[in-house]
Amino acid sequence: MVEGKHIFGPVASRRLGRSLGVDIVPLKVCTQNCIYCQLGIDGERTLERKEYVSADVVLEELKERVGAGVEADFVTFSGSGEPTLNSAMGKIIDGIRAITDIPVAVITNGTLLSDPAVRADCCKADLVVPSLDAGDAETFGKINFPHKDIDFDVFVDGLCEFRREYSGRMWLEVFLSEGVNASDEQVDKIGAIIERIGPDKVQLNTAVRPTVKETALRVERERLDEIAERLGGNVEVVV
């Protein structure tokens, strides 16, 4: 694996196979401060979109990697923070298309999909994997600690609107934490929202690596399987 400043990997991903990462925001610059984040406790929660890293810099680094013969199943926007905060993301995706035919994936917490410009950028990707970790505003606050100006209902509406506009693959990730959002009541609320969104696939996840907050408790595999069955449809456990 080769590490660059903004391009890293390929890394072995449980969901995406060989993933060549694209990191386009500074460390912990995000719209949320989730209890299960592995990048540290306190980051800069912001809703400001700007060109944190220029498209030209990222694409030049990608050209070098592709020219060196890198092989990957996806070029994946992920890494240090929330990638949709970079206002150049759409331009970068366009540039990736001109460099390689490797499919593009965006892993996002989904909180900015209420913004039409963000939806337009994400619609350029082959696969978008947003998150939904709560069935109501109270639980949303407990597990995701969003920026104070993020409204849960607006967030959910953004996910629904994106699904209507997007013709690519949409996989919805649900991170489950024991004692926070893994009860039958909470799962049923999440399930009702999933029905509204209509993703192609739902992936259940839980803490498998060290997290920075003690409240991010692992849900056992047997319970994850029960939740998958309760949700029904195209649901898989990815831990």
Side-chain angles (χ1 to χ4, degrees):
M1 182 178 72
V2 177
E3 296 292 337
K5 190 171 183 181
H6 304 294
I7 306 294
F8 61 94
V11 297
S13 167
R14 287 171 291 164
R15 294 176 290 176
L16 302 178
R18 295 169 301 171
S19 174
L20 185 65
V22 181
D23 194 358
I24 57 173
V25 293
L27 181 65
K28 281 292 287 183
V29 173
C30 193
T31 59
Q32 302 185 145
N33 192 22
C34 302
I35 64 172
Y36 54 82
C37 184
Q38 301 166 34
L39 298 175
I41 296 177
D42 294 315
E44 178 189 348
R45 282 181 293 184
T46 181
L47 300 181
E48 181 185 8
R49 295 194 83 205
K50 62 182 181 181
E51 198 166 346
Y52 291 92
V53 180
S54 76
D56 291 343
V57 169
V58 174
L59 294 172
E60 187 60 36
E61 192 174 327
L62 180 64
K63 284 180 185 177
E64 293 179 4
R65 296 299 312 281
V66 171
V70 68
E71 295 183 358
D73 298 305
F74 282 95
V75 176
T76 307
F77 286 83
S78 60
S80 297
E82 173 51 44
T84 61
L85 281 168
N86 191 317
S87 58
M89 191 180 77
K91 181 179 179 181
I92 295 171
I93 294 176
D94 289 338
I96 292 171
R97 300 289 193 204
I99 295 170
T100 179
D101 59 0
I102 300 173
V104 175
V106 176
I107 297 178
T108 172
N109 62 32
T111 52
L112 295 182
L113 289 173
S114 57
D115 181 342
V118 174
R119 294 199 301 271
D121 285 350
C122 287
C123 278
K124 296 181 177 186
D126 299 284
L127 169 67
V128 177
V129 187
S131 295
L132 175 68
D133 304 325
D136 54 50
E138 180 181 0
T139 307
F140 183 49
K142 289 179 180 178
I143 193 166
N144 297 124
F145 285 86
H147 185 281
K148 62 181 179 62
D149 292 331
I150 294 176
D151 178 85
F152 179 72
D153 292 331
V154 173
F155 158 57
V156 171
D157 287 346
L159 291 170
C160 295
E161 186 63 29
F162 177 69
R163 174 70 282 187
R164 285 191 288 269
E165 296 176 1
Y166 182 50
S167 60
R169 287 176 289 169
M170 180 183 182
W171 299 349
L172 190 68
E173 180 178 21
V174 180
F175 187 98
L176 295 164
S177 181
E178 192 63 55
V180 181
N181 65 342
S183 67
D184 284 351
E185 178 185 7
Q186 193 59 212
V187 168
D188 288 346
K189 288 182 178 180
I190 292 172
I193 296 173
I194 290 171
E195 286 189 18
R196 286 180 55 197
I197 298 169
D200 297 296
K201 182 188 296 185
V202 176
Q203 297 180 318
L204 305 183
N205 200 355
T206 192
V208 294
R209 304 184 184 95
T211 59
V212 296
K213 295 194 177 181
E214 295 178 354
T215 49
L217 299 177
R218 178 185 178 91
V219 177
E220 295 303 322
R221 179 60 191 246
E222 182 178 358
R223 175 57 179 159
L224 290 172
D225 290 338
E226 290 175 356
I227 291 172
E229 184 174 354
R230 189 177 186 91
L231 289 173
N234 192 10
V235 180
E236 64 180 7
V237 177
V238 296
V239 295

